[in-house]
Amino acid sequence: MKIAVLRERADGETRVAATPETVAKLIGLGATVAIEAGAGDAARFPDADYAAAGASVGPAAATVKDAEIVLAVRRPSVGSLLGITPGALVVGIMDPYGSEGEIGGYAKVGLTAIAMEFMPRITRAQVMDVLSSQANLAGYQAVIDAAGAFDRAMPMMMTAAGTVRPAKVFVMGAGVAGLQAIATAKRLGAVVTATDVRAAAGEQVESLGAKFIMTDALKDASGSGGYARELTQDEQAAQAALVAGHIAKQDIVITTALIPGRPAPKLVSRAMVESMAPGSVIVDLAAERGGNVEVTQPGKVATTANGVTIIGHLNVPGRLATSASQLYARNLVSFLETLIDKKEKKLAINWDDELVKATVLTRGGAVVHPNIKVPGATPLEAPVAADPAKTGAAEKSTPGEAPAAAADDVTPAEPAKTGAADKKDSI
């Protein structure tokens, strides 16, 4: 059983899907591990450390040749997987919405694509929850970025020359990233307030020492699975009025509302930004989907005419590449442990397992996930690898089996420490 890890090729992607620590764990499961040379460089994991952990390190072609499993952060192109075992698993963040053609390409060449961001929100899956692990880091980094751009002290300081007032931080969205942002801002000494459209989020916010604000016109917008339902027009207007009055008094605003596969909802209007004082900072964690702020410039840090700095970094977890890779790689190992027979040291996938059914996008030459619609995505040609003797994961597939639908918003549960089975954001 060979597991391959390629160097990430997406622009700005600094993370890697395996670390020397997880390589050792994968070898302990009975796998041989191949790492493309330089795969961990951006995350500060040198090739020598992978080799010391027992992995083979070499060029891309040798890395994927005859692999039964490929681990990735971002979805690799089909062309980068030439030589892989027929029916092999490709496990990573697939980001299928809007990329249905590429997912169809996986089906066309017989690969089994597994989207880790579709992991169901159940207790046993928390340790495999890539969105939760990455969103936690994003929430932390958002506050650090804001503090760096804020040209004043964050905590109250009592000095002989007088008192420095604490910064006022407003977090919009009490989900995974939002709760971590609240906790980090509190640790830095800021006065923190937060809002969410779900009433249950108030307890989580207050448990971290922040003040929860919510309009009286919005009793509760909790939806299924702990996520927010769509607001009515009246509710949207009431919430916007509340936010507008509050933002004008804040030094730092952090927005966290991001739903996979959809444009980010606009929470902060141009007028709200213009109401803020010079030197204020906004960090938009939804910049990759267009941003929660009307004037966010994705991928840029910009300052408005009235002196408000708006930070729209892409791939915020990647700004903490080492930590993000460590957590992500552990998520992957935890998932693979459910797919491998520890005694036989080989793949033994239970295709009826709820984790598998929720995350498999393609299988047996077809797109099988009910939420992914690819016209004509049926077996059109032979699998990528030419050697039919190497069946690997394909031996265990049963054509025609379709997984159950996953929720549109697939952000997993927050760790129990912060009390968040409820959340709204995802990174």
Side-chain angles (χ1 to χ4, degrees), residues 97-116:
Y97 299 118
S99 302
E100 288 84 356
E102 294 182 38
I103 300 303
Y106 272 68
K108 183 178 179 181
V109 297
L111 296 175
T112 301
I114 295 179
M116 288 297 293

Side-chain angles (χ1 to χ4, degrees), residues 162-175:
T163 300
V164 176
R165 73 167 180 83
K168 297 178 181 178
V169 176
F170 179 42
V171 180
M172 300 184 70

Side-chain angles (χ1 to χ4, degrees), residues 99-131:
S99 302
E100 288 84 356
E102 294 182 38
I103 300 303
Y106 272 68
K108 183 178 179 181
V109 297
L111 296 175
T112 301
I114 295 179
M116 288 297 293
E117 70 268 40
F118 280 14
M119 193 64 64
R121 295 160 299 183
I122 57 177
T123 300
R124 64 182 282 242
Q126 285 189 341
V127 71
M128 312 165 198
D129 195 339
V130 300
L131 291 182

Side-chain angles (χ1 to χ4, degrees), residues 159-396:
T159 75
T163 300
V164 176
R165 73 167 180 83
K168 297 178 181 178
V169 176
F170 179 42
V171 180
M172 300 184 70
V176 180
L179 290 172
Q180 186 57 250
I182 291 167
T184 303
K186 286 294 295 182
R187 285 195 291 268
L188 290 178
V191 174
V192 185
T193 55
T195 190
D196 198 287
V197 297
R198 296 160 301 126
E203 295 180 8
Q204 300 162 27
V205 168
E206 291 169 357
S207 72
L208 293 173
K211 181 180 179 180
F212 185 66
I213 63 170
M214 187 177 186
T215 176
D216 292 337
L218 179 61
K219 301 301 181 184
D220 186 22
S222 297
S224 61
Y227 291 98
R229 60 169 172 79
E230 187 174 356
L231 303 186
T232 66
Q233 289 186 348
D234 288 344
E235 289 172 336
Q236 290 176 2
Q239 184 71 0
L242 172 74
V243 169
H246 193 67
I247 277 182
K249 307 169 188 175
Q250 303 304 301
D251 298 308
I252 294 172
V253 175
I254 297 172
T255 66
T256 68
L258 179 61
I259 302 173
R262 302 180 189 176
K266 299 301 180 187
L267 306 180
V268 180
S269 68
R270 182 184 298 272
M272 294 179 191
V273 176
E274 292 173 348
S275 74
M276 298 180 73
S280 302
V281 178
I282 299 175
V283 181
D284 192 337
L285 286 180
E288 289 196 19
R289 293 286 181 180
N292 296 139
V293 183
E294 186 179 352
V295 293
T296 290
Q297 298 180 42
K300 296 181 180 180
V301 177
T303 302
T304 66
N306 63 314
V308 177
T309 299
I310 302 177
I311 300 174
H313 290 312
L314 307 180
N315 187 18
V316 175
R319 293 172 60 77
L320 295 160
T322 302
S323 298
S325 297
Q326 289 170 333
L327 296 182
Y328 181 80
R330 291 169 189 164
N331 292 148
L332 294 183
V333 169
S334 296
F335 179 58
L336 290 182
E337 287 178 337
T338 70
L339 309 180
I340 294 172
D341 186 317
K342 295 179 178 61
K343 292 183 179 179
E344 298 293 329
K345 304 291 185 180
K346 64 180 183 180
L347 278 173
I349 302 171
N350 175 8
W351 298 103
D352 291 324
D353 188 309
E354 59 189 326
L355 306 184
V356 175
K357 293 173 74 174
T359 55
V360 171
L361 304 183
T362 64
R363 182 182 170 209
V367 176
V368 296
H369 199 286
N371 290 354
I372 310 301
K373 307 300 181 185
V374 184
T378 55
L380 299 177
E381 59 186 57
V384 177
D387 185 355
K390 296 183 177 296
T391 55
E395 291 179 347
K396 302 172 180 64

